[in-house]
Amino acid sequence: MSYTMKVLELAKQNNPSEPEFHQAMTEILPTLQPFIDEHPEYEKEKILERLVEPERQIIFRVPWVDDNGEIQVNRGFRVQFNSAIGPYKGGLRFHPSVTLSVIKFLGFEQIFKNSLTGLPIGGGKGGSDFDPKGKSDREVMSFCQSFMNELCKYLGVNEDIPAGDIGVGGREIGFMYGQYKRITGQYEGVLTGKGLTYGGSLVRTEATGYGLVYMAESMLRSKGESFIGKKVVISGSGNVAIFAAEKATQFDAKVITMSDSNGYVHDPEGIDIDAVKQIKLGRRGRIKEYLEFRPHAKYFEKGLVWSTPCDIALPCATQNELLVDGAELLIKNGCVVVAEGSNMPTSLEATHMLQESGVMFAPGKAANAGGVAVSALEMAQNSSRISWSFEEVDNKLRSIMRNIYTSSSSAAEDYGMKGNLVAGANIAGFKKVADAMLLQGAV
């Protein structure tokens, strides 16, 4: 049994009943074997054994009072996974599906993603099983303040700088930042995704979606192609999906689908981005309401968004949304590029199927790194007490995403896996972190 498989099996034994974490390790570790074969020092120093074990796992109670005066109790998490190349960096997710396993899978992926950006940030992730949907602003504020009462003990500009994720947008970041400032008396960039009036960065809202399209653009360019005239299928209708659709449209592509947990819309004339923004960012509505703006569009409450014929597919909703049946439909309908906007949305089986069929595939750790990249740029602006223009940040983002594609593509080719961006991204991200761990010693 290879070194990577031994580590994988041991990690599964040590972390039972954590399927999402197991899936993340299974996707990453075996792809590193060709690289590790050439560098036995990593096995000798037990780098992988250390890498799969978080530096710190924090689980805490979050009591808060709802609008009826009733006390509610949720569970909070922060997994500080690896700080070899910088302070922990990774979002906070508020969603009923959040468990320790989910946070560990996200945090493990974050190590590699953050390394790929080329910026000095380590990997971490956090969140809660709290669901902000249907809650009043006062209830969300009550929860966020209680959540920060405990989380603040583990944060700092040189220790851990969280950001937003699913269920955590500008409103939630604002409430948490305000509470952090009240508790500590410090006005510092300890959270990213802040409002522009108190240290936020331009392009932060758009970053993950824009970065995803910049990655897909690099993939297309490698084949002498562009977005012009391409049909794009997007799942989800949150920030990532909306701004991926916006940037793809700016590149003269036609985005024809968007979705939410209830169903999806198909607009063959091209999605009206402003309408989706009004529905989702304005009134926090459901994607079905899109038909109020574009009556000719069709709404599907059941079925797979991937059944819509397209050239490019951008899964931007949640983990494990693109499975084997969806991959079969994309291949059958002639899709040429799949780039992950959300974290681990494609199952391992579906990923292999797409790759074996010649579909260009970019994993989330590479394709959706734009969000954390601009978070790190926000940290830089906060440290310097300056603000860059939209164009400056956007240009830096585009350059970072192109560099991620280049480094991932080159790493894959160097180890006999040309075109395999999954393996390439894993190797490129791993090398920087592993070398830092070697240089810093085992204790």
Side-chain angles (χ1 to χ4, degrees), residues 44 65 75 103 126 169 230 357 438:
K44 180 183 177 182
V65 180
R75 179 174 286 183
I103 296 302
K230 298 290 193 300
S357 297
L438 282 175

Side-chain angles (χ1 to χ4, degrees), residues 248-262:
T249 302
Q250 290 174 8
F251 282 174
D252 293 324
K254 184 179 287 188
V255 178
I256 54 177
T257 70
M258 295 188 79
S259 69
D260 61 20
S261 57
N262 290 349

Side-chain angles (χ1 to χ4, degrees), residues 140-344:
V140 172
M141 181 175 67
S142 177
F143 172 83
C144 288
Q145 290 174 343
S146 181
F147 184 82
M148 184 52 71
N149 285 343
E150 181 65 23
L151 186 64
C152 71
K153 302 171 186 176
Y154 310 99
L155 305 184
V157 291
N158 294 308
E159 181 178 359
D160 190 346
I161 308 95
D165 193 77
I166 293 173
V168 179
R171 174 182 62 169
E172 290 77 15
I173 292 291
F175 290 150
M176 286 189 283
Y177 186 74
Q179 188 71 353
Y180 177 85
K181 190 159 60 71
R182 291 182 198 98
I183 294 168
T184 65
Q186 300 294 315
Y187 197 100
E188 56 186 4
V190 78
L191 286 165
T192 56
K194 300 185 295 297
L196 295 176
T197 57
Y198 63 102
S201 174
L202 292 165
V203 193
R204 180 59 191 90
T205 303
E206 298 89 348
T208 308
Y210 279 19
L212 172 63
V213 172
Y214 292 149
M215 172 59 72
E217 176 197 30
S218 294
M219 296 164 74
L220 289 165
R221 286 177 62 194
S222 73
K223 300 294 185 183
E225 298 283 343
S226 73
F227 267 97
I228 297 173
K230 298 290 193 300
K231 291 182 179 179
V232 183
V233 162
I234 294 179
S235 66
S237 51
N239 272 359
V240 179
I242 288 172
F243 291 107
E246 180 173 272
K247 181 56 66 174
T249 302
Q250 290 174 8
F251 282 174
D252 293 324
K254 184 179 287 188
V255 178
I256 54 177
T257 70
M258 295 188 79
S259 69
D260 61 20
S261 57
N262 290 349
Y264 71 94
V265 291
H266 175 215
D267 187 344
E269 296 181 9
I271 292 289
D272 183 336
I273 309 301
D274 289 335
V276 177
K277 286 182 179 179
Q278 287 186 53
I279 296 164
K280 288 294 184 176
L281 304 183
R283 61 200 199 199
R284 300 178 187 269
R286 308 307 294 168
I287 199 65
K288 185 177 183 179
E289 298 167 30
Y290 181 81
L291 272 63
E292 298 174 14
F293 296 83
R294 307 272 281 197
H296 65 270
K298 293 184 178 180
Y299 174 73
F300 299 88
E301 195 164 306
K302 295 182 179 180
L304 295 173
V305 67
W306 317 117
S307 64
T308 310
C310 65
D311 303 297
I312 300 165
L314 305 176
C316 297
T318 189
Q319 67 260 24
N320 292 322
E321 58 170 308
L322 176 51
L323 306 178
V324 168
D325 51 354
E328 289 175 339
L329 289 167
L330 289 174
I331 294 165
K332 177 183 176 182
N333 290 325
C335 179
V336 296
V337 168
V338 175
E340 296 184 325
S342 53
N343 292 302
M344 210 164 67

Side-chain angles (χ1 to χ4, degrees), residues 339-366:
E340 296 184 325
S342 53
N343 292 302
M344 210 164 67
T346 313
S347 71
L348 193 57
E349 296 79 9
T351 298
H352 290 160
M353 181 178 290
L354 291 166
Q355 291 175 314
E356 290 166 4
S357 297
V359 177
M360 296 185 71
F361 182 88
K365 67 176 65 64

